[in-house]
C-alpha cells in the first residue's frame, strides 16, 4: 500500500489517478482525508505515473515504482 499525505487542503476532495507504463488508467482514488491509504496489492510490478487532480486542474504529477 501507499500512504498519501495531503500537505495542502486545496488537494482535499480531489483525486489521485494512477496510470501504467502504457498510459492506461488503472486506479482512481478520492483524496478526502489528510492521510489516504491506497492499496496497491492488485497492481503488477512496474513503474506507474500519477496525477493529483482537483476541480479539473492537475495539481501534481509524479512516478512510483511497485515492486
Amino acid at each position: 500500500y501507499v500512504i498519501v499525505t495531503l500537505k495542502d487542503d486545496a488537494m482535499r476532495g480531489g483525486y489521485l489517478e494512477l496510470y501504467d507504463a502504457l498510459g492506461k488508467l488503472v486506479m482512481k482514488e478520492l483524496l478526502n482525508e489528510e492521510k489516504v491509504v491506497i492499496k496497491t496489492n492488485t497492481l503488477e510490478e512496474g513503474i506507474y505515473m500519477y496525477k493529483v487532480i482537483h476541480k479539473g486542474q492537475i495539481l501534481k504529477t509524479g512516478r512510483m515504482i511497485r515492486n
Side-chain angles (χ1 to χ4, degrees):
Y1 62 91
V2 172
I3 298 174
V4 177
T5 303
L6 303 179
K7 294 182 180 179
D8 186 350
D9 280 341
M11 292 182 184
R12 191 170 293 181
Y15 288 89
L16 180 131
E17 294 182 347
L18 195 61
Y19 297 86
D20 66 14
L22 299 175
K24 178 182 172 189
L25 179 66
V26 294
M27 186 179 292
K28 184 174 182 178
E29 292 288 331
L30 176 63
L31 301 174
N32 58 355
E33 300 290 330
E34 184 179 343
K35 289 189 178 182
V36 178
V37 177
I38 298 175
K39 295 179 182 176
T40 58
N41 58 335
T42 60
L43 298 175
E44 293 183 24
E45 290 186 0
I47 298 174
Y48 292 85
M49 283 68 68
Y50 68 84
K51 293 180 188 176
V52 176
I53 300 171
H54 187 266
K55 295 183 180 180
Q57 291 189 326
I58 299 172
L59 301 179
K60 185 156 182 77
T61 61
R63 291 186 217 168
M64 75 168 222
I65 298 172
R66 164 76 165 103
N67 52 14

